[in-house]
Amino acid sequence: MMRTRPLKVALLGCGVVGSEVARIMTTHAADLAARIGAPVELAGVAVRRPSKVREGIDPALVTTDATALVKRGDIDVVIEVIGGIEPARTLITTAFEHGASVVSANKALLAQDGAALHATAVEQGRDLYYEAAVAGAIPLIRPLRESLAGDKVNRVLGIVNGTTNFILDKMDSTGAGYQEALDEATALGYAEADPTADVEGFDAAAKAAILAGIAFHTRVRLDDVYREGMTEVTAADFASAKEMGCTIKLLAICERAADGGSVTARVHPAMIPLEHPLASVRGAYNAVFVEAEAAGQLMFYGPGAGGSPTASAVLGDLVAVCRNRLNGATGPGDSAYTQLPVSPMGDSVTRYHISLDVADKPGVLAQVATVFAEHGVSIDTVRQSGKDGEASLVVVTHRAADAALTGTVDALRQLDTVRGVASIMRVEGE
């Protein structure tokens, strides 16, 4: 039997995502009520610019006082889509303290202060859901938290930023340079006017912290994630990747150590074999590859950003939280019982593709090979080409620790016959 008294929802933020959330709540009100078991009512919308016309939203609901809205006491669920650290953190905490559960899409805040927010939610007996914080519409957080709760996840490997994937895909498919591809992404609305958060990996790093924490049941903060952007990737790197049967993606990689005693989380460009499922992810799409002991290999794919896809994830959380509210229960919260340490990037093990500019004369290859051997880095393949006294030497290694590779490259730079290190690219997905 459906309850007639509505559950009241406060919306913090009414931009691209917030306005779409409000629209779906209105146009799909009957379906949402049937799925929840009670109607949901938009009880207030906090914005910064109240004079802006917001189609489909009653102007009487609009306020600039977000604090007063979350303090009302009659709000059942607060939806936070304003982003950033403050005032979002304070507003969410205040919402818990005044009896509301929270649905958020705020990856930066959750990556930085997720543990504290979860603790407050538990203390107040409320829910904190955030499916929309990672990979837009793709159901990912709930499968990791619930569907795979009885399994052991060992690795999460994914493309979690649509802007960078669009740029790299354009460079791969057309031969465009980085700036040319970025300009097209901006013109099409895939890239912000200031794309730093995307192209320098900050956005993906926040998502990696969230995914690692959930997958490995441990505390992983944004500061724990190694981050490297993709602005230095060149057309020459793509040419080298193609010669290896690879393409290049900006990847978020979360791994459990082989001995199970620690985890790593990192974001960086990497070559990935064309036969790997992630290699075929095109345009602004996202995909995440999960490796678990019992379930094996799973891949989650779909649109990772945009108003409608993100709103879909928000509304899915809203339904779940409202159902919990009606049942007097809460859903799965923070699970960090393992308390595993996060290892530094130097402990990460992978293959490497190194391109060196060297003198074209006898003995160069022997010198280079000696340096690799002295640092315990095994060489898989070598390719050399050149003329007029200059040459290019491409070395692909077997799996090696990042620290060992760093020491190798530093030593190579000391050789008189090495003119420079043109590029270093990790090789993943093998």
Side-chain angles (χ1 to χ4, degrees), residues 149 151 216-219 256 334-340:
D151 207 339
F216 307 133
H217 304 280
T218 196
R219 301 271 187 234
R256 189 190 301 270
D334 192 23
S335 174
Y337 69 90
T338 63
Q339 299 183 10
L340 295 173

Side-chain angles (χ1 to χ4, degrees), residues 111-124:
Q112 178 172 305
D113 291 314
L117 293 176
H118 273 293
T120 304
V122 170
E123 180 183 336
Q124 300 297 329

Side-chain angles (χ1 to χ4, degrees), residues 51-345:
S51 59
K52 181 180 177 180
V53 176
R54 293 173 173 84
E55 186 177 348
I57 297 178
D58 182 353
L61 298 178
V62 177
T63 178
T64 57
D65 194 343
T67 301
L69 178 59
V70 300
K71 281 185 173 181
R72 274 177 39 173
D74 64 336
I75 300 298
D76 295 287
V77 183
V78 169
I79 297 175
E80 183 272 310
V81 288
I82 57 178
I85 306 302
E86 288 291 357
R89 174 171 49 196
T90 299
L91 290 170
I92 290 174
T93 301
T94 303
F96 289 142
E97 293 170 346
H98 286 78
S101 290
V102 173
V103 172
S104 177
N106 196 330
K107 54 189 168 287
L109 177 58
L110 289 160
Q112 178 172 305
D113 291 314
L117 293 176
H118 273 293
T120 304
V122 170
E123 180 183 336
Q124 300 297 329
R126 301 303 174 206
D127 274 323
L128 173 60
Y129 275 48
Y130 43 91
E131 186 68 65
V134 180
I138 305 171
L140 182 58
I141 289 176
R142 194 166 296 136
L144 284 173
R145 285 210 301 189
E146 300 178 31
S147 303
L148 294 173
D151 207 339
K152 181 180 180 182
V153 176
N154 290 318
R155 194 172 197 230
V156 179
L157 173 76
I159 298 164
V160 294
N161 184 277
T163 300
T164 54
N165 199 57
F166 178 89
I167 293 170
L168 292 172
D169 182 39
K170 186 62 60 173
M171 292 175 70
D172 184 29
S173 60
T174 69
Y178 165 75
Q179 190 60 50
E180 183 183 353
L182 173 60
D183 290 343
E184 183 172 351
T186 304
L188 292 172
Y190 292 129
E192 302 286 346
D194 179 2
T196 302
D198 294 321
V199 300
E200 294 295 349
F202 291 100
D203 175 84
K207 295 170 182 176
I210 294 170
L211 291 174
I214 296 171
F216 307 133
H217 304 280
T218 196
R219 301 271 187 234
V220 180
R221 299 179 75 252
L222 181 58
D223 292 344
D224 295 322
V225 182
Y226 171 83
R227 177 195 55 78
E228 183 182 320
M230 41 77 72
T231 57
E232 301 300 319
V233 176
T234 66
D237 291 326
F238 274 102
S240 294
K242 287 181 179 179
E243 290 179 356
M244 287 183 60
C246 294
T247 187
I248 298 172
K249 300 291 185 182
L250 184 75
L251 298 177
I253 304 167
C254 312
E255 294 179 305
R256 189 190 301 270
D259 63 4
S262 64
V263 300
T264 58
R266 48 198 167 97
V267 168
H268 53 71
M271 294 182 180
I272 190 166
L274 293 176
E275 61 268 20
H276 193 282
L278 290 178
S280 62
V281 178
R282 301 295 184 186
Y285 277 73
N286 284 190
V288 178
F289 204 70
V290 177
E291 299 176 12
E293 283 196 357
Q297 297 178 330
L298 308 170
M299 181 166 156
F300 301 84
Y301 169 84
S308 294
T310 306
S312 171
V314 169
L315 268 296
D317 278 350
L318 176 65
V319 170
V321 169
C322 286
R323 286 172 175 170
N324 292 342
R325 191 86 170 185
L326 289 179
N327 293 326
T330 56
D334 192 23
S335 174
Y337 69 90
T338 63
Q339 299 183 10
L340 295 173
V342 182
S343 296
M345 182 60 185

